[in-house]
Amino acid sequence: MTDKNIGFIGLGVMGQSMAGHILAAGFNVRVYNRTKQKADALVDQGAVWCDSVADLAASSDVIITMVGYPADVEEVFIGPDGILENSAAGSLVIDMTTSDPALAEKLWQDGRQNDIGVLDAPVSGGDIGARNASLSIMVGGSPDDFHRALPIFKTMGTNIVHQGKAGNGQHTKMANQIAIASTMISVCESISYAKRAGLDPETVLKSIGKGAAASWSLNNLGPKMIQGDDAPGFFIRHFVKDMGIALSAAESMGMKTPGLDLACSLYKQMEDQGAGLKGTQALFHLFS
Ligand code: NAP
């Protein structure tokens, strides 16, 4: 498998680390990103720069995308300059962006018409998980394509689960984001309460971070809230995008989501205040 060309599109916070792990594992890696400079470090380490999505698609056996929004996914997949038009029959395309389950199903069907395998494989674990190659990867698509992709997934993650048909990876990620949405509110309230009660919040985390209240958000983002460190991590504007996808998917299933509604409205308030490029832990400012 390491003799295959792996193309990677989208070299932001997550993609740079993820592509770096694939390269370090010995694969031939070809890269493209809207802003070219973000590829410099990877090219210095041996990745090959491609001048366009079409170039990259035509010269890669497996193409991975880690862009921002569903609209970005459509832009790189669809149309005469897109991945599906320019990949050879038998290629495998893996979208790891957090995107729309319905779009993932459509891309899988489009790919099928040209004998191109398509997987939706969003991730959880944050920038820290991407850097440490310890991501949780949730995958939708055919079992054969999942097994073809497994050696590549193993370079980036430690918990890799096939969730079933196309779109199910994105639905799983939405379940993940719904759980995180209300958790973020509870983490903010908990730390705010500890401060107002006159406790040292870092000492409080030593207790509650190891008990029944423990969560990734409490243990990784709680300390940043206490220190006033708003650097992303995970952009607020991407979280608002995810909650919007989850809300409309839940609505189409006739489901009520009061926790998600509240979290989404609070994060939109932050975005309206100009905080979209801050990390999601900046929500704490609404509570402090
Ligand atoms: P990011 O830093 O904004 O990275 C996205 C990258 O994609 C950017 O470098 C952007 O180019 C590039 N891009 C967008 N559209 C493109 C296009 N049409 N052609 C070529 N390149 C394009 O975001 P991120 O934090 O890495 O997140 C990526 C995805 O993973 C998002 O869907 C996010 O919701 C999800 N996610 C993020 C985290 C996290 O903790 N950060 C965790 C799990 C999942 P430019 O450099 O020009 O902007």
Side-chain angles (χ1 to χ4, degrees):
M1 185 76 173
T2 47
D3 58 335
K4 301 276 185 211
N5 286 333
I6 315 298
F8 203 109
I9 299 171
L11 304 171
V13 173
M14 300 294 284
Q16 287 213 20
S17 300
M18 292 160 72
H21 294 310
I22 301 171
L23 188 63
F27 290 95
N28 306 316
V29 175
R30 311 177 72 76
V31 290
Y32 176 75
N33 190 64
R34 188 168 51 197
T35 305
K36 188 179 177 190
Q37 298 92 287
K38 290 192 188 169
D40 287 350
L42 287 162
V43 170
D44 286 347
Q45 291 159 42
V48 175
W49 170 257
C50 295
D51 280 326
S52 66
V53 169
D55 269 5
L56 179 141
S59 58
S60 303
D61 305 291
V62 178
I63 298 120
I64 299 175
T65 52
M66 189 57 167
V67 291
Y69 295 82
D72 299 324
V73 175
E74 289 188 87
E75 189 182 322
V76 295
F77 267 75
I78 299 171
D81 300 325
I83 294 168
L84 295 176
E85 285 284 330
N86 291 282
S87 301
S91 313
L92 177 61
V93 192
I94 308 167
D95 182 33
M96 303 190 79
T97 315
T98 303
S99 180
D100 189 337
L103 176 60
E105 282 182 65
K106 178 196 169 346
L107 295 176
W108 179 81
Q109 272 166 359
D110 290 352
R112 248 182 101 178
Q113 285 165 12
N114 298 320
D115 191 24
I116 294 168
V118 177
L119 293 172
D120 49 298
V123 304
S124 180
D127 58 323
I128 301 165
R131 273 201 302 280
N132 297 340
S134 60
L135 291 169
S136 179
I137 307 178
M138 37 210 104
V139 190
S142 85
D144 282 356
D145 289 338
F146 173 74
H147 287 291
R148 281 167 75 195
L150 206 45
I152 304 171
F153 288 149
K154 283 183 176 167
T155 70
M156 299 181 273
T158 46
N159 180 36
I160 303 153
V161 181
H162 185 215
Q163 295 287 350
K165 68 181 175 60
N168 282 9
Q170 296 295 355
H171 276 306
T172 306
K173 176 70 184 182
M174 289 307 123
N176 185 80
Q177 298 307 72
I178 291 168
I180 287 177
S182 296
T183 302
M184 286 301 292
I185 297 174
S186 66
V187 168
C188 290
E189 285 180 350
S190 168
I191 294 173
S192 180
Y193 175 90
K195 283 176 93 168
R196 278 163 204 242
L199 303 172
D200 171 27
E202 283 177 353
T203 309
V204 169
L205 282 190
K206 284 184 187 162
S207 294
I208 71 173
K210 292 198 169 58
S215 67
W216 189 96
S217 302
L218 184 72
N219 286 320
N220 289 286
L221 300 181
K224 291 187 181 188
M225 290 176 186
I226 294 165
Q227 289 150 19
D229 174 2
D230 292 342
F234 184 35
F235 295 120
I236 283 178
R237 68 178 187 184
H238 280 163
F239 198 25
V240 170
K241 172 253 308 178
D242 295 354
M243 289 187 281
I245 296 170
L247 280 169
S248 58
E251 194 185 337
S252 72
M253 296 182 241
M255 187 188 156
K256 289 208 182 340
T257 52
L260 179 60
D261 293 348
L262 175 59
C264 191
S265 70
L266 294 176
Y267 271 105
K268 276 189 172 155
Q269 197 179 320
M270 293 294 295
E271 203 181 22
D272 291 344
Q273 291 171 8
L277 288 174
K278 291 187 174 169
T280 50
Q281 71 276 12
L283 184 71
F284 188 60
H285 293 296
L286 291 185
F287 294 78
S288 52

